[in-house]
């Protein structure tokens, strides 16, 4: 009896330290994500005061850009679980983590080139998708500048994954804040002109964001070179070495992550394009709602990154029960935050919408009203969005990425988007119908991701041990 009681107490007692460890790792990652998101948010805030067309064009271009970014971004994210498991194994981790980072750099570079070739034809792509010629031309200007920051952003993500595996995320946070601080004056200067620079509008916003990606990547490179502990890894030594085994692992882990991201990002990108069928007001309202929903999503996304690092570290060390515990703690934290976020969005929808609009602009009142309705719907899907994000992050810590990709495809493209289009067009609900369908898709994906994690972490982590081989 006494032995049983002490064992139970010991198991319960292990949850508290893991909660604090996860929070200590997650909060810098959350703030880093928020600061990176603030780059596009800053663009939206500045351009929304230029014109509704400028905001709509940047939204169309930004959605296309982020959809195209997903292959390289997914490969960059593979560095996190790889480095975490390598560090968890212990012996030889210095050389092993260096190989992980180097392979991720190579993979991102290879994925960037074909994406650049596609984005070079942004205007033709958008016009082919039925967008207004003026919006397509403005979006092409924005993407034409923004695309040059893509490899720099991916390099930043690779190094952030390495630092998360080292349980040292604060440096990425500091560098990200510097990037945001630089972005605000750059946006004002380049969008509106001054000091010999003519007003560049949406082109200026794209240039500002690309320059900020350069600042953030260079900042992390400089920090790693300066820090005595991190210098030991020699991450940038012999970058030219081709490591086929590690590249194969990056592809095996990263391409399904890229696929999952592409499925999620592209479904919202397609929704933005579909909004263009209803006019600039619908696109601008959609942009406002997506910006806010994306901002709140940065919190569970940061918790998911912490869960990836903690689950990966415990998995690499062979501690399957601890890995399962870390995943469940992350899911609970993500769900708790998003429940609070949902209540705030529903209560403050109207006030939030007007933050992005100038009252004197044509169509501002109509845009604000539609955006407020969309924000209420966004609040309703917050909880499921948080659960699916953190569950997916925990699964990445196990290097389990292929099945989550398939689940995302089922929820977003087979169920969510067709339902939304059905409600929007034949159903007569218009833009709101699209959002109802997307909400249903997110709810379904959350349930499936949670069920997947429950199965793999069942019986005190025995399934995890089988996955480790």
């Amino acid at each position: 009896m006494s032995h049983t009681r002490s064992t139970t107490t010991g198991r319960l007692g292990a949850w508290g330290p893991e909660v604090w460890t996860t929070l200590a790792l997650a909060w810098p990652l959350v703030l880093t994500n928020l600061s990176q998101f603030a780059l596009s948010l800053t663009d939206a805030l500045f351009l929304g005061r230029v014109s509704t067309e400028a905001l709509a064009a940047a939204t169309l271009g930004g959605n296309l850009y982020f959809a195209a970014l997903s292959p390289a971004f997914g490969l960059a994210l593979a560095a996190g679980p790889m480095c975490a498991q390598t560090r968890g194994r212990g012996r030889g981790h210095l050389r092993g983590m260096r190989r992980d980072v180097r392979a991720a750099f190579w993979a991102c570079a290879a994925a960037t080139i074909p994406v650049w070739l596609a984005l070079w034809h942004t205007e033709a792509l958008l016009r082919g998708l039925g967008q207004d010629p003026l919006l397509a031309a403005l979006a092409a200007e924005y993407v034409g500048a923004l695309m040059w920051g893509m490899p720099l952003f991916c390099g930043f993500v690779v190094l952030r994954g390495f630092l998360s595996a080292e349980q040292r995320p604060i440096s990425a946070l500091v560098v990200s804040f510097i990037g945001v601080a630089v972005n605000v004056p750059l946006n004002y200067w380049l969008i509106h002109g001054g000091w010999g620079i003519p007003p560049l509008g949406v082109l200026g916003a794209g240039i500002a964001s690309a320059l900020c990606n350069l600042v953030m990547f260079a900042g992390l490179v400089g920090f790693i070179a300066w820090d005595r502990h991190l210098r030991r890894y020699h991450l940038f030594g012999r970058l030219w070495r081709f490591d086929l085994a590690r590249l194969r692992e990056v592809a095996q882990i990263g391409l399904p992550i890229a696929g999952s991201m592409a499925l999620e990002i592209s479904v919202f990108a397609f929704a933005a394009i579909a909004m263009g069928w209803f006019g600039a007001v619908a696109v601008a309202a959609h942009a406002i709602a997506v910006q806010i929903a994306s901002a709140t999503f940065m919190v569970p996304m940061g918790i998911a990154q912490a869960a990836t690092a903690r689950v990966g570290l415990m998995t690499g060390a062979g501690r399957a029960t601890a890995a399962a515990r870390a995943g469940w703690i992350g899911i609970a934290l993500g769900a708790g935050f998003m429940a609070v976020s949902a209540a705030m969005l529903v209560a403050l929808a109207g006030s939030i919408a007007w933050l992005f609009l100038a009252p004197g602009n044509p169509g501002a009142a109509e845009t604000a009203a539609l955006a407020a309705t969309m924000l209420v719907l966004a609040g309703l899907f917050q909880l499921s969005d948080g659960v699916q994000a953190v569950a997916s992050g925990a699964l990445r810590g196990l290097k389990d990425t292929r099945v989550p990709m398939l689940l995302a495809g089922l929820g977003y493209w087979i169920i969510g988007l067709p339902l939304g289009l059905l409600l929007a067009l034949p159903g007569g609900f218009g833009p709101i119908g699209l959002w109802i369908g997307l909400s249903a898709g997110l709810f379904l994906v959350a349930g499936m991701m949670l069920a997947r994690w429950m199965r793999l972490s069942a019986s005190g982590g025995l399934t995890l041990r089988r996955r480790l081989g």
Side-chain angles (χ1 to χ4, degrees):
M1 177 79 74
S2 175
H3 174 72
T4 302
R5 187 163 48 245
S6 64
T7 300
T8 303
T9 303
R11 287 174 180 172
L12 292 174
W15 288 76
E18 182 62 38
V19 168
W20 290 113
T21 301
T22 300
L23 286 173
L25 181 58
W27 75 262
L29 293 170
V30 168
L31 292 178
T32 300
N33 289 335
L34 285 168
S35 62
Q36 290 170 346
F37 172 77
L39 296 179
S40 60
L41 180 62
T42 303
D43 292 352
L45 288 170
F46 274 101
L47 292 173
R49 283 164 172 74
V50 172
S51 69
T52 299
E53 288 75 18
L55 175 59
T59 300
L60 289 173
N63 276 284
L64 180 63
Y65 169 80
F66 284 110
L69 170 66
S70 56
F73 192 13
L75 292 168
L77 286 172
M82 288 176 65
C83 286
Q85 288 203 17
T86 300
R87 185 174 183 267
R89 284 192 291 272
R91 189 175 61 182
H93 72 282
L94 293 178
R95 181 172 177 271
M97 292 174 75
R98 179 168 64 247
R99 291 176 63 194
D100 293 338
V101 169
R102 184 171 60 208
F105 280 148
W106 272 99
C108 291
T112 297
I113 295 171
V115 171
W116 271 352
L117 294 175
L119 290 179
W120 198 255
H121 302 284
T122 292
E123 182 174 359
L125 287 170
L126 290 175
R127 292 187 69 167
L129 290 168
Q131 297 306 299
D132 179 271
L134 173 61
L135 295 183
L138 288 173
E141 289 185 27
Y142 181 65
V143 173
L146 189 61
M147 60 187 274
W148 298 107
M150 181 183 292
L152 299 166
F153 172 73
C154 290
F156 174 86
V157 172
V158 170
L159 295 179
R160 186 185 65 187
F162 161 75
L163 291 168
S164 296
E166 280 290 297
Q167 313 288 289
R168 301 182 67 175
I170 293 181
S171 52
L173 169 62
V174 172
V175 168
S176 294
F177 275 167
I178 293 172
V180 174
V182 170
N183 192 44
V184 172
L186 278 179
N187 256 294
Y188 185 83
W189 177 38
L190 295 174
I191 290 174
H192 299 288
W195 294 349
I197 299 292
L200 298 177
V202 293
L203 174 62
I207 293 172
S209 292
L211 289 174
C212 289
N213 284 323
L214 172 61
V215 168
M216 292 191 299
F217 176 67
L220 277 194
V221 171
F223 173 77
I224 290 169
W226 169 80
D227 185 271
R228 185 166 59 183
H229 169 75
L230 299 175
R231 255 200 323 263
R232 302 178 306 144
Y233 287 89
H234 300 291
L235 291 184
F236 305 99
R238 300 179 180 178
L239 275 176
W240 61 87
R241 276 197 168 183
F242 189 78
D243 190 334
L244 182 59
R246 279 297 204 274
L247 275 171
R248 187 181 294 116
E249 187 176 5
V250 170
Q252 288 172 346
I253 299 169
L255 288 179
I257 295 175
S260 297
M261 291 181 58
L263 290 166
E264 182 173 1
I265 293 172
S266 60
V267 79
F268 279 95
F270 188 88
I273 290 168
M275 289 295 171
W277 304 337
F278 298 98
V281 167
V283 175
H286 177 78
I288 292 169
V290 167
Q291 288 285 341
I292 296 300
S294 299
T296 58
F297 180 72
M298 294 300 104
V299 176
M301 184 176 175
I303 296 170
Q305 290 162 348
T308 297
R310 293 299 299 166
V311 171
L313 190 66
M314 296 299 107
T315 301
R319 299 175 57 193
T321 301
R325 180 167 54 241
W328 280 117
I329 285 172
I331 291 168
L333 291 172
F337 171 82
M338 290 304 253
V340 174
S341 172
M344 293 182 64
L345 278 186
V346 171
L348 302 174
S351 301
I352 292 170
W354 277 108
L355 293 175
F356 292 80
L357 299 164
N361 281 353
E366 186 181 358
T367 301
L370 183 56
T373 304
M374 290 179 176
L375 282 169
V376 171
L377 288 172
L380 296 178
F381 72 61
Q382 289 281 287
L383 184 59
S384 57
D385 205 14
V387 169
Q388 69 85 18
V390 185
S392 177
L395 290 168
R396 286 176 193 171
L398 304 175
K399 299 183 180 178
D400 179 59
T401 56
R402 186 175 62 85
V403 171
M405 176 188 69
L406 298 175
L407 298 180
L410 174 63
Y412 298 137
W413 283 94
I414 305 301
I415 305 296
L417 185 61
L419 176 61
L421 291 173
L422 186 66
L423 292 172
L425 297 169
F429 286 89
I432 298 303
L434 268 175
W435 270 75
I436 294 172
L438 294 176
S439 301
L442 277 169
F443 183 80
L444 179 62
V445 171
M448 292 188 296
M449 291 288 188
L450 190 59
R452 174 77 175 169
W453 174 254
M454 287 176 69
R455 189 170 72 82
L456 292 184
S457 61
S459 303
L462 292 176
T463 308
L464 308 191
R465 290 192 182 96
R466 286 198 295 273
R467 290 190 57 79
L468 284 170

